[in-house]
Amino acid sequence: MNQWPDAATTLPADGTEGALVGRIWRPGLGPSVVTVRDTGVHDLTASFPTVRDLCETPDPAGQLRAADGERITGLDELLANTPPDTRNPALPWLLAPVDLQAVKAAGVTFVVSMLERVIEERVRGDASGAAEARERIRGLIGDDIASLRPGSEEAEALKQLLVAQGVWSQYLEVGIGPDAEIFTKAPVLAAVGSATDAGVRSSSRWNNPEPEVVIVVSSTGEVVGATLGNDVNLRDVEGRSALLLPQAKDNNASAALGPFVRLFEGGFGIGDVREATVTLTVEGEDGHRLDAVSSMSLISRDPLDLAAQLVGPHHRYPDGAVLYLGTMFAPVEDRDAPGQGFTHHDGDLVTVATPRLGALVNRIRASEACEPWTFGLADLMRSLSARGAL
């Protein structure tokens, strides 16, 4: 059986040196804001009732480091009690590291994944036609598209050429046009954390993980930190119609975030996000293994540009937002049958990792079989009120 993560495999390469904030479930109390220090996991809810409250301060990392908090448990013990199959409900377990923030995602921000979206559209979600469509699209578009700046005169010229050839696509529009695709990935409080199950709808026959860096944006549009995400995707559903994006992207347990938010400070900032190399490992119970690498240096839109398209005079988020930045990963290797590409099997263990943020680990299950999302905003308010945190 594949192994769930421990502290050594979860933390960033520099351990607890960063300003790490997360959330845990404390039995009898509910969701609690925590920080991870070399002495263990400390509850900071008395100082910051929500992660949103911390991120809205002028200096979130400094505030986190200055806050006192009760030590609750060790990180190894917390992670060991998080997997749902073996969880002791009398002990704490790990949650997604955000709470009141809107959970948003940017699509088609890497050329490789953009071309795969075009292919999905062309084959109407049928994986058997993907290889042929891939060769045809690449032959028409070429590889120079990777150097195009979205919204530039050169990008507009390519658009007109492709329109004339009858191969223009809505995915090319958001990939090289002036406006980014930014959509809602999950409702507030619906994201799942590390060391637990992530969901894929049981009706899907062509799907994949999407390893991504996720930025945390305050209500003023300032990027204050980053974490990792798995933007679980149903390729067959979205391929049938882009209007089915909500069904392809927003399902029970389909938004994975974690393990912790690393807040920006002197030793870690937006430059680290721009330079991050994200690795992906999929380990199947059938012995199948998939390894891939996604380099943020290849993103076609700068993270700060994406943040500006998310928050501004056109749209406000009073509680801030988190934004999946997109992925270059689009698996094309066959897993089950020739020409069918990659798709998940039940029980796949997916690890998304980068040295400065640690590792996010989730087991793939049918969305219908994952723990149901039952704890909403009203529950959170009641929980915090009952413990005198509001």
Side-chain angles (χ1 to χ4, degrees):
M1 180 178 178
N2 297 322
Q3 295 297 308
W4 288 108
D6 56 16
T9 58
T10 292
L11 287 170
D14 56 356
T16 57
E17 291 298 310
L20 304 176
V21 62
R23 294 167 61 244
I24 66 172
W25 181 274
R26 290 188 64 185
L29 294 176
S32 302
V33 177
V34 298
T35 187
V36 184
R37 295 171 174 159
D38 57 4
T39 53
V41 179
H42 295 253
D43 189 340
L44 304 183
T45 309
S47 298
F48 308 105
T50 65
V51 174
R52 176 267 181 206
D53 289 315
L54 172 63
C55 292
E56 290 297 309
T57 64
D59 178 17
Q63 293 287 323
L64 182 80
R65 292 190 180 281
D68 291 326
E70 174 191 2
R71 183 189 185 278
I72 303 304
T73 184
L75 182 55
D76 274 322
E77 290 80 5
L78 180 70
L79 291 167
N81 195 52
T82 299
D85 293 350
T86 56
R87 182 182 302 158
N88 180 347
L91 298 174
W93 62 87
L94 188 65
L95 301 173
V98 299
D99 39 46
L100 298 183
Q101 295 93 340
V103 183
K104 311 291 283 189
V108 204
T109 56
F110 288 80
V111 170
V112 171
S113 60
M114 176 183 70
L115 295 180
E116 288 302 311
R117 297 293 86 78
V118 175
I119 290 160
E120 289 167 13
E121 180 184 41
R122 292 282 164 171
V123 302
R124 306 293 185 189
D126 181 2
S128 63
E132 180 180 348
R134 188 173 295 111
E135 290 302 314
R136 179 172 181 270
I137 295 297
R138 285 188 178 277
L140 289 170
I141 295 177
D143 295 325
D144 291 342
I145 195 172
S147 62
L148 280 181
R149 181 171 58 85
S152 66
E153 291 182 3
E154 293 80 6
E156 177 62 23
L158 176 61
K159 173 181 177 177
Q160 297 306 321
L161 175 63
L162 294 174
V163 168
Q165 294 183 355
V167 295
W168 187 247
S169 162
Q170 57 201 333
Y171 294 105
L172 290 167
E173 177 65 50
V174 296
I176 65 175
D179 300 314
E181 178 193 18
I182 296 179
F183 58 92
T184 297
K185 173 62 181 177
V188 171
L189 293 179
V192 298
S194 191
T196 193
D197 293 333
V200 169
R201 282 174 60 164
S202 60
S203 59
S204 174
R205 295 295 176 266
W206 189 23
N207 49 70
N208 63 265
E210 292 191 353
E212 305 187 20
V213 175
V214 181
I215 53 174
V216 181
V217 187
S218 74
S219 62
T220 62
E222 180 183 3
V223 181
V224 300
T227 188
L228 289 168
N230 183 353
D231 182 14
V232 180
N233 182 46
L234 309 185
R235 300 190 68 179
D236 47 0
V237 175
E238 186 179 356
R240 285 159 45 207
S241 170
L243 297 180
L244 294 174
L245 182 67
Q247 287 90 328
K249 291 288 190 177
D250 181 10
N251 298 292
N252 183 46
S254 66
L257 291 168
F260 305 102
V261 169
R262 185 165 187 168
L263 297 170
F264 285 177
E265 55 184 345
F268 178 73
I270 194 66
D272 296 279
V273 170
R274 292 186 177 116
E275 297 170 4
T277 296
V278 180
T279 59
L280 171 77
T281 303
V282 179
E283 299 172 278
E285 293 181 340
D286 58 352
H288 181 85
R289 182 182 175 96
L290 174 67
D291 293 287
V293 177
S294 188
S295 174
M296 284 293 296
S297 66
L298 298 176
I299 197 168
S300 58
R301 298 182 191 270
D302 187 77
L304 292 185
D305 173 60
L306 290 169
Q309 293 208 36
L310 171 71
V311 180
H314 62 288
H315 207 317
R316 299 291 188 184
Y317 295 90
D319 296 312
V322 295
L323 179 64
Y324 288 76
L325 293 177
T327 182
M328 66 174 285
F329 176 68
V332 298
E333 300 87 355
D334 292 332
R335 181 174 189 176
D336 296 320
Q340 294 298 311
F342 173 88
T343 197
H344 272 304
H345 286 195
D346 192 70
D348 283 351
L349 199 70
V350 181
T351 301
V352 179
T354 193
R356 302 308 300 277
L357 296 173
L360 168 68
V361 181
N362 298 101
R363 180 181 60 179
I364 298 299
R365 287 283 189 246
S367 289
E368 302 91 326
C370 294
E371 291 181 283
W373 175 42
T374 60
F375 192 92
L377 287 167
D379 299 296
L380 177 62
M381 296 302 104
R382 293 188 188 102
S383 170
L384 294 174
S385 178
R387 63 194 293 187
L390 293 182

